[in-house]
């Protein structure tokens, strides 16, 4: 029997339209700043980062950072661990952190602290998805694609235990570890 596809929460067309709006907003906000550094958080943000970065009309460079807090499923271990730091020099640069989703907020808070130690000129944050009902720490999100409930979502870069990352839409799954 073929595997059942996750139920659709946000369609491909809706994602595309919202990414275009975000890119327009970011391009306008940074219009007089010059070159910005987009720091994509691996692995979940890679598709969002690719689409967003191609739609920006301002000069930008790309860096990646990798952290881990979910061992393999959907329950956060709480402690965020740096797996890979940025490689380029971001000192004095305007940094925009590009995250797939902000859930409890621990990861983004940790990332801001981490990147501040590289002494950039500024740090702003952009998340495709936000679960406001799950927040445990207060963290600034400057650009948000969509606010969602506390369901586990997959697709467009997001996974559940490495599954469904390349679905073209955002779908919902029922994790078996909750
Ligand atoms: P936080 O530290 O709880 O805010 O979690 C942020 C990270 O958890 C994200 O970067 C994702 O990797 C992962 N995450 C949280 N919720 C989901 C979800 O619904 N689907 C897929 N990944 C998620």
């Amino acid at each position: 029997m073929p595997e059942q596809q996750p139920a659709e929460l946000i369609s491909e067309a809706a994602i595309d339209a919202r990414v275009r709006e975000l890119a327009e907003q970011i391009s306008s906000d940074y219009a007089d700043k010059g070159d910005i550094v987009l720091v994509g958080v691996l692995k979940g943000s890679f598709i969002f980062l690719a689409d967003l970065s191609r739609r920006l009309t301002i000069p930008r460079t790309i860096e990646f950072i990798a952290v881990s807090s979910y061992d393999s499923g959907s329950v956060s271990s709480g402690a965020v661990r740096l797996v890979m730091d940025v490689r380029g020099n971001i000192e004095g640069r305007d940094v925009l952190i590009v995250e797939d989703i902000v859930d409890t907020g621990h990861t983004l808070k940790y990332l801001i602290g981490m990147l501040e130690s590289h002494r950039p000129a500024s740090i702003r944050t952009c998340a495709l998805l936000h679960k406001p009902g799950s927040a445990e720490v207060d963290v600034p999100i400057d650009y948000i694609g969509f606010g969602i409930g506390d369901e586990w979502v997959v697709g467009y870069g997001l996974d559940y235990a490495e599954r469904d990352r390349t679905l073209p839409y955002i779908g919902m799954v029922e994790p078996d570890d909750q």
Side-chain angles (χ1 to χ4, degrees), residues 26-90:
I26 293 165
S27 299
S28 138
D29 291 353
Y30 284 94
D32 53 0
K33 290 248 189 196
D35 202 358
I36 70 166
V37 190
L38 303 170
V39 177
V41 187
L42 292 174
K43 302 177 195 172
S45 77
F46 81 110
I47 297 179
F48 177 42
L49 178 76
D51 285 348
L52 182 74
S53 61
R54 284 179 293 181
R55 278 161 196 156
L56 293 174
T57 54
I58 47 170
R60 65 276 183 192
T61 50
I62 311 285
E63 288 288 336
F64 286 103
I65 197 163
V67 288
S68 143
S69 58
Y70 292 77
D71 292 333
S72 61
S74 72
V75 181
S76 171
S77 65
V80 184
R81 192 165 53 87
L82 183 68
V83 175
M84 186 189 88
D85 202 350
V86 289
R87 294 175 73 177
N89 183 6
I90 61 165

Side-chain angles (χ1 to χ4, degrees), residues 89-103:
N89 183 6
I90 61 165
E91 187 173 341
R93 309 278 309 275
D94 292 300
V95 166
L96 180 64
I97 302 174
V98 180
E99 252 288 35
D100 53 355
I101 184 163
V102 177
D103 184 353

Side-chain angles (χ1 to χ4, degrees), residues 41-44 67 69-70 73-74 76 78 80 99-108 129 131 134 148 150-154 158-160:
V41 187
L42 292 174
K43 302 177 195 172
V67 288
S69 58
Y70 292 77
S74 72
S76 171
V80 184
E99 252 288 35
D100 53 355
I101 184 163
V102 177
D103 184 353
T104 62
H106 288 290
T107 305
L108 191 57
L129 303 171
K131 295 182 184 173
S134 312
I148 62 169
D150 65 0
E151 52 268 350
W152 193 264
V153 288
V154 293
L158 294 113
D159 73 311
Y160 172 54

